Amino acid sequence: MSNLFSRDIDLKNYSWFNLGGPAKNFFKPKNNTDLINFFNKKNDINKNIHILGAGSNTLFRDGGYNGTIIKLGKEFSNIEILNDGNLLVGAACLDKKIANFALENSFKDFEFLSCIPGSIGGAIAMNCGCYGNEISKLVISVDAVTFDGQLKTFNKDQIKFFYRGSDFGEPLIITSAKLKGSKGKKKEIQEKQNKFLDQKKKSQPSKIKTCGSTFKNPGNKKAWELIKDSGCINLKVGGAKLSNQHCNFFVNEGNATSKDIELLIESVKDKVYLKTGIKLDLEIKIVGKN
Ligand SMILES: Cc1cc2nc3c(=O)[nH]c(=O)nc-3n(C[C@H](O)[C@H](O)[C@H](O)COP(=O)(O)OP(=O)(O)OC[C@H]3O[C@@H](n4cnc5c(N)ncnc54)[C@H](O)[C@@H]3O)c2cc1C
C-alpha cells in the first residue's frame, strides 16, 4: 500500500462528536488520479467505502468502520477566481474559508457559509443551509470521481437538490465545485456575515462536541420545538444529552459512547412520536458497526 493509506485510524478524531471506533483503512488521496486509480483497483479495498468531509454531520459507531474511509487531502482545499468571474473550490475547502475568501473579494451570497463548520463537499452532499440560504443556490457545476473510476462534471440541472441532501444518480466523491460569483459591496457583505454569526451565537451552542441538528425539520414544523414540547429536554443516556441552548443539538459531554448518542436519539424519536404522531428523520449520518 502507498503512503496514501493508513490502517486502524481512530475515527473519533474525525467527527465533531469526538466519538467512534477505528477505521480498517483510511485513504487520503492528493489528486483526482489517486482517486481514479483507487476505484480501478481490483481488490477488496474499494468494496466498502465511506466518504468523509469535515465530520461535522457524522456519528461514527463505537465498533468503527470495517472498510475504507476516504478523506480528501489538503491538496483539495484550493479556491480561485475563474476568468468568467465564478469561484472554483476544492471539495475539502472549509465553508468558513470560502465565506471569508468571498468577503475579502467582495462576492455576495456566501455569508451563510461562515456559520457552517463543514467542507464544501459535505455542504453539497447535504445541501446545507441556514437563514433562508442553501448551497444549491450557488452551485453552477460539480466535478466528481464516480465509484467506477470516472471523472465527471455535473451541471446543476443534472443534480437533484432537496432539503438536506442531493442526488447525483450514482455513488461518487465530489472533488470540486464551480460556485456563482456575484459581486457585491464589501461593507454590506461584512454586515450580513456578522449578522448571521451573531444570530448563530445567540441561538446555538459552540465549543461542544456535537454534529449540529440531529433531526431534520419535518415539513413546516421545527424539530427542536417538537422535542421540547414532547418533554425531552432533560433526557440523558450515559454521557449523551441535549444541548440546553438548542435541544436538537445532541451533545457528547466528554464521556459518552456513540451507543449513548444513538439510544438518546431513539428515546427522543419515540417520545416525539407518542406525543405528536410525527416520525422525526435523522439529519446526521450514522456510520459503521456497533
Ligand atoms: C455546530 C454545528 C452547526 C451546524 N449548523 C448547520 C447549519 O446551520 N446548516 C446546515 O445545513 N448544517 C449545519 N451543521 C451540519 C454540518 O456542518 C453540515 O451538514 C455540513 O455541510 C457537513 O459537512 P462535512 O464536510 O462536515 O460533512 P461530513 O459530516 O463529513 O459528511 C456528511 C455527508 O456528506 C458526505 N460527503 C462529505 N464530503 C463529501 C464529498 N467530497 N463527496 C461526496 N460526499 C461527501 C458524507 O459521505 C456524508 O454522507 C452544523 C454542524 C455543527 C457541528
Side-chain angles (χ1 to χ4, degrees):
M1 272 200 229
S2 74
N3 61 0
L4 304 175
F5 289 88
S6 348
R7 279 179 72 88
D8 299 322
I9 290 292
D10 213 347
L11 287 172
K12 75 170 187 299
N13 297 324
Y14 292 91
S15 160
W16 276 59
F17 272 124
N18 195 220
L19 292 171
K24 187 172 172 199
N25 305 306
F26 198 89
F27 173 45
K28 223 168 174 186
K30 290 183 191 225
N31 51 45
N32 288 342
T33 310
D34 290 341
L35 278 168
I36 292 166
N37 290 342
F38 169 84
F39 286 115
N40 284 329
K41 277 198 175 85
K42 299 267 175 293
N43 60 30
D44 280 349
I45 196 117
N46 54 21
K47 291 279 176 318
N48 195 14
I49 294 166
H50 177 73
I51 313 292
L52 175 63
S56 66
N57 209 42
T58 303
L59 174 66
F60 288 115
R61 287 195 164 116
D62 301 310
Y65 191 73
N66 189 18
T68 303
I69 300 283
I70 309 181
K71 182 171 171 66
L72 297 175
K74 61 178 184 324
E75 295 78 4
F76 288 88
S77 297
N78 55 302
I79 315 183
E80 61 182 281
I81 303 170
L82 297 169
N83 289 336
D84 63 6
N86 293 310
L87 302 192
L88 181 69
V89 295
C93 196
L94 291 180
D95 299 340
K96 280 177 193 213
K97 185 175 157 188
I98 298 171
N100 288 334
F101 180 90
L103 167 64
E104 217 35 59
N105 292 282
S106 304
F107 289 106
K108 60 181 182 180
D109 304 332
F110 290 81
E111 301 87 353
F112 75 102
L113 286 178
S114 61
C115 302
I116 301 180
S119 66
I120 197 71
I124 292 169
M126 294 301 301
N127 191 19
C128 78
C130 57
Y131 307 127
N133 302 278
E134 259 181 10
I135 194 64
S136 60
K137 294 184 191 163
L138 291 173
V139 170
I140 295 176
S141 64
V142 171
D143 279 358
V145 175
T146 61
F147 279 20
D148 59 6
Q150 293 179 61
L151 179 60
K152 284 192 184 171
T153 300
F154 294 80
N155 289 323
K156 186 185 180 168
D157 59 7
Q158 296 172 285
I159 310 166
K160 269 193 213 133
F161 282 107
F162 46 92
Y163 169 57
R164 295 302 167 263
S166 59
D167 184 0
F168 288 75
E170 59 185 311
L172 48 74
I173 176 161
I174 298 162
T175 52
S176 69
K178 188 169 164 180
L179 304 175
K180 208 179 290 166
S182 313
K183 282 284 185 173
K185 292 203 174 81
K186 194 169 188 175
K187 186 166 170 283
E188 287 172 12
I189 298 167
Q190 177 80 76
E191 279 167 8
K192 197 166 174 188
Q193 190 161 315
N194 289 348
K195 193 180 87 185
F196 286 161
L197 285 167
D198 224 45
Q199 255 173 289
K200 269 267 168 172
K201 215 170 172 181
K202 284 190 185 127
S203 62
Q204 295 181 4
S206 59
K207 298 194 177 68
I208 52 166
K209 297 172 198 287
T210 183
C211 273
S213 294
T214 307
F215 297 106
K216 295 181 192 171
N217 289 325
N220 55 5
K221 298 204 181 313
K222 297 273 178 223
W224 71 264
E225 264 171 8
L226 296 169
I227 294 170
K228 183 166 162 269
D229 295 347
S230 306
C232 299
I233 296 265
N234 293 318
L235 286 181
K236 259 195 94 172
V237 177
K241 62 166 205 164
L242 313 188
S243 154
N244 303 327
Q245 212 178 334
H246 191 307
C247 60
N248 195 19
F249 279 40
F250 286 37
V251 183
N252 165 16
E253 288 194 291
N255 58 341
T257 60
S258 302
K259 187 78 191 162
D260 291 343
I261 303 268
E262 274 197 84
L263 289 172
L264 187 58
I265 285 172
E266 287 315 312
S267 166
V268 168
K269 245 174 133 169
D270 288 349
K271 275 184 98 85
V272 169
Y273 183 64
L274 285 176
K275 173 88 184 186
T276 67
I278 295 173
K279 285 188 182 158
L280 289 175
D281 274 341
L282 277 180
E283 179 172 325
I284 62 165
K285 306 286 181 191
I286 301 182
V287 177
K289 55 180 182 169
N290 283 310

